[in-house]
Amino acid sequence: MIAADKPRQRASSARLLVIAAGGSLTHAARTDLVDFLRRGDLVVANDAATLPASLHGMHLPTGAAIEVRLAGRLARDAGDLRRCIAVVFGAGDFRIRTEDRPLPPALAAGDRLALGPLAAMIERGLDHPRLIALRFDGSATEVWTGLARHGRPIQYAHMPMPLKLWDVWTPIAGPPVAFEPPSAGFALDWRLLAVLRDRGIGFATLTHAAGISSTGDVDLDRRLPFPEPYFIPASAVRAIRRSRGCSGRIVAVGTTVVRALEHAASLGGGVRPGAGIARQRIDARTKLRVVDAILSGAHEPGSSHYDLLRAFADDATLRAATAELDAQHYRTHEFGDSLLVERRRPCASCWRESVVRAAA
Amino acid sequence: MAKTYNPVPRKPHDRDSVAGLRVAITGGTSGLGLALVHEFVARGARAAFVARDRARVECIAAAASAHGIVGDVACKEDIHRIALQVLGLLGGLDCLINNASSLGPVPLRPLGDTDCEDLELALATNVVGPFRLTKALLGALAASAREDRGAVVLNVSSDAAINAYAGWGAYGTSKAALRQLSRIWHEEMKTQGVGFLSLDPGDMDTPLHTLALPDADPATLKRPETAARELVDAICIALAGRSRLPPSRDGASIDACTEAAAAPG
């Protein structure tokens, strides 16, 4: 696989590797995605807009240059970003691989940070030299103004040009709660949504506050993903029931949708509308209750994204898929090509369970 | 305070109510835009408005109990910053009003005397800016429609969009383009439940009108508060899924070029 290094959300050349339930692999153009869906299926996407969560500035006690990457919101209210979890890097920017970024100066509770027009204080450290809880000065409104003026999208060294907010703003973007883009949604456009409708394929959204995908620090990366708040609207739950009722598949656009739906379903009683906080990891051991297929970016083995795919397909199938992605030079990362992975076989008992629930 | 999770439910299809409606208005510190901010807030909506002058924005935000956002819709770099703040502060969006307008060169002049740059600026403010902002907020509007809250974009139009008034070339051309943009948006987005309105509020006693026609007698002009009330009524009807808009009370043409918001499927 090669890194996609241009911020084009819907490159006309984007490709799609379809991994069917039986393990067969099919290469396609991503614009033909709809041909792999059936009447009655439901496509569920994450409509979170992406925050400009990277803030350059200074650690005032030492005068050292730092980059603060907001990574989680501490208030329940999505309109209130005054208190956040953040990962702090020393001097430099996204052009340096996160693995190579220097540590920030020693960070202590009470330290003041100057971040452009925003001022903040470290509330406490979170058991790692890079990880803090911080509080911005001022009102919630002033924090929005400051972020809009000074914040930049979080980005990584594989993308050489600085990203603008519009580069990471999906076509369906709504509430700005994601710290990194729910990038599987880059594959969506309004033409596709119209075609889905014409073909009797449902479309629904939920809002999941996608967190940061990587810190470059092995210990810290092991703690990812951080707990992520989500909101599932009533319309999405109705659509899931409708689709289930006619044996349609639930197709998640991106790992965040899988996390939200599977977390909601894990609470018992099927997926219910409302807010929740996804804390679970999804991997080979996860028994999927709701999602039948996932549209996702192409990710390297070992990443948490790849781990999540192991809930859908067995390791032999994923190894074969990775070999195909390599051989065919698929492009990886958020602006790259896509995979459509169907769950290996409908888990008969889960399936029955959800149909019974849907009927209830 | 904005709440994204557990958004305040809004009673769908209530034809007289905009209570709980999340609305964003550009050009909100003077004339019709300011009157719209007051009208929406008075009727229980949650409003955010956009304008260029920081001092005026802050002053009106405090006085009107609305969220003020500093930005210029003619500036590409500002659009997603505006969208970010609108969605962050309101938690989502049910109604966007593209009201900010540039008159083009003043005093008004024939096209032959209009600098190309002045035409470009009028197009940037009156056509490209509304297009960009609508695009950045389209996902939020469509989500609102899926939730049965309704979703409407109002692009403020003018009779100069239809009639060829000498001296109004830059403005009239840009408003004609905005009107056509509204119609095509509407055709394309109605299946997603997002309706587009292009309405002419009539000749009002506003700073823009004074710029254009300094000698006009204000007594002959409509008060912006009256126009704002009519526009909010029209939005109520559109949100309630009505298909036709009534004529304005004092006979000024309401340019009902579009069908009202289609009920989401």
Side-chain angles (χ1 to χ4, degrees), chain A residues 47 52 73 76-79 141 144-145 148 164-166 169 171-176 190 193 197 203 205 229 231 233-235, chain B residues 1-7 76-77 80-81 83-85 87-89 91 136 138-140 142-143 146-148 189 191-192:
Chain A
D47 74 356
R73 184 183 77 235
R76 188 171 173 77
D77 175 0
T141 302
W144 283 108
T145 308
K164 299 284 196 175
L165 204 44
W166 59 73
W169 201 264
I172 57 159
W190 295 98
L193 299 193
R197 200 186 157 83
F203 179 74
T205 49
F231 179 80
S235 58
Chain B
M1 178 117 344
K3 286 204 185 296
T4 296
Y5 298 132
N6 300 320
K76 176 179 175 176
E77 294 280 338
H80 282 78
R81 294 176 182 157
L84 175 77
Q85 291 172 82
L87 297 174
L89 292 164
L138 199 58
R146 281 193 296 276
E147 275 302 285
D148 286 342
M189 291 304 294
T191 56
Q192 302 287 336

Side-chain angles (χ1 to χ4, degrees), chain B residues 61-146:
Chain B
S65 303
H67 296 288
I69 296 166
V70 180
D72 181 356
V73 295
C75 168
K76 176 179 175 176
E77 294 280 338
D78 278 6
I79 294 295
H80 282 78
R81 294 176 182 157
I82 293 169
L84 175 77
Q85 291 172 82
V86 165
L87 297 174
L89 292 164
L90 298 179
L93 192 68
D94 308 310
C95 179
L96 167 66
I97 301 184
N98 287 306
N99 164 73
S101 269
S102 159
L103 193 55
V106 283
L108 298 181
R109 65 198 63 175
L111 281 170
D113 296 337
T114 298
D115 288 339
C116 303
E117 289 74 13
D118 282 339
L119 177 65
E120 284 178 343
L121 188 61
L123 292 171
T125 309
N126 302 351
V127 185
V128 183
F131 173 69
R132 285 202 171 110
L133 190 59
T134 303
K135 217 177 144 201
L137 293 168
L138 199 58
L141 289 161
S144 185
R146 281 193 296 276

Side-chain angles (χ1 to χ4, degrees), chain A residues 246-268:
Chain A
C246 60
S247 301
R249 298 169 301 173
I250 308 301
V251 181
V253 179
T255 56
T256 54
V257 173
V258 180
R259 288 196 84 206
L261 290 178
E262 294 298 330
H263 182 268
S266 72
L267 305 175

Side-chain angles (χ1 to χ4, degrees), chain A residues 130-148:
Chain A
R130 291 189 191 275
L131 195 64
I132 58 167
L134 65 74
R135 176 191 280 274
F136 290 108
D137 295 356
S139 67
T141 302
E142 286 165 331
V143 174
W144 283 108
T145 308
L147 274 181

Side-chain angles (χ1 to χ4, degrees), chain A:
Chain A
M1 282 181 269
I2 49 175
D5 59 0
K6 299 214 168 40
R8 278 186 305 171
Q9 293 195 8
R10 281 165 298 287
S12 55
S13 60
R15 288 183 292 170
L16 179 70
L17 179 67
V18 181
I19 306 175
S24 69
L25 305 177
T26 308
H27 295 281
R30 197 168 66 193
T31 46
D32 295 335
L33 166 67
V34 72
D35 295 337
F36 295 91
L37 304 175
R38 298 192 291 258
R39 180 172 290 275
D41 285 353
L42 176 70
V43 175
V44 187
N46 180 3
D47 74 356
T50 306
L51 294 159
S54 161
L55 300 164
H56 281 270
M58 187 188 285
H59 176 246
L60 289 176
T62 57
I66 55 170
E67 180 194 352
V68 169
R69 293 187 178 182
L70 304 181
R73 184 183 77 235
L74 287 168
R76 188 171 173 77
D77 175 0
D80 184 359
L81 279 167
R82 282 175 295 183
R83 295 178 64 235
C84 285
I85 294 173
V87 178
V88 187
F89 296 92
D93 65 15
F94 67 87
R95 293 175 183 87
I96 306 170
R97 297 189 324 144
T98 45
E99 297 89 316
D100 303 331
R101 291 288 292 273
L103 282 171
L107 304 171
D111 287 357
R112 304 279 308 164
L113 310 176
L115 304 166
L118 292 164
M121 188 189 74
I122 298 177
E123 282 196 334
R124 58 184 200 279
L126 296 172
D127 304 324
H128 189 282
R130 291 189 191 275
L131 195 64
I132 58 167
L134 65 74
R135 176 191 280 274
F136 290 108
D137 295 356
S139 67
T141 302
E142 286 165 331
V143 174
W144 283 108
T145 308
L147 274 181
R149 279 173 62 193
H150 186 62
R152 297 286 176 272
I154 290 176
Q155 67 177 106
Y156 295 92
H158 62 261
M159 177 65 61
M161 66 189 74
L163 293 176
K164 299 284 196 175
L165 204 44
W166 59 73
D167 290 319
V168 293
W169 201 264
T170 64
I172 57 159
V177 296
F179 296 92
E180 286 187 9
S183 55
F186 290 166
L188 302 174
D189 59 24
W190 295 98
R191 182 194 296 267
L192 172 69
L193 299 193
V195 175
L196 291 180
R197 200 186 157 83
D198 290 346
R199 296 202 189 174
I201 298 162
F203 179 74
T205 49
L206 52 78
T207 307
H208 185 102
I212 60 175
S213 54
S214 169
T215 68
D217 182 294
V218 177
D219 290 335
L220 214 43
D221 281 353
R222 218 175 276 133
R223 287 162 69 171
L224 298 177
F226 296 135
E228 294 172 338
Y230 64 83
F231 179 80
I232 302 178
S235 58
V237 174
R238 283 196 302 271
I240 290 170
R241 290 191 180 144
R242 255 199 316 272
S243 190
R244 279 294 194 230
C246 60
S247 301
R249 298 169 301 173
I250 308 301
V251 181
V253 179
T255 56
T256 54
V257 173
V258 180
R259 288 196 84 206
L261 290 178
E262 294 298 330
H263 182 268
S266 72
L267 305 175
V271 178
R272 290 189 181 158
I277 299 179
R279 299 174 186 280
Q280 86 283 27
R281 276 191 86 102
I282 292 181
D283 55 26
R285 289 163 300 180
T286 307
K287 199 168 120 181
L288 296 168
R289 291 177 163 88
V290 184
V291 179
D292 300 298
I294 178 173
L295 179 72
S296 166
H299 296 281
E300 310 278 353
S303 64
S304 66
H305 278 72
Y306 184 91
D307 259 4
L308 184 138
L309 296 183
R310 297 173 67 211
F312 288 83
D314 59 43
D315 286 351
T317 303
L318 287 179
R319 269 197 301 275
T322 301
E324 278 297 305
L325 295 173
D326 283 332
Q328 303 290 328
H329 307 296
Y330 271 62
R331 298 169 318 135
T332 182
H333 295 307
E334 68 274 34
F335 293 102
D337 299 311
S338 299
L339 302 180
L340 179 65
V341 189
E342 198 177 12
R343 179 154 50 132
R344 70 196 125 216
R345 67 187 113 76
C347 151
S349 61
C350 305
W351 186 271
R352 264 201 309 278
E353 213 180 328
S354 16
V355 171
V356 169
R357 274 194 215 120

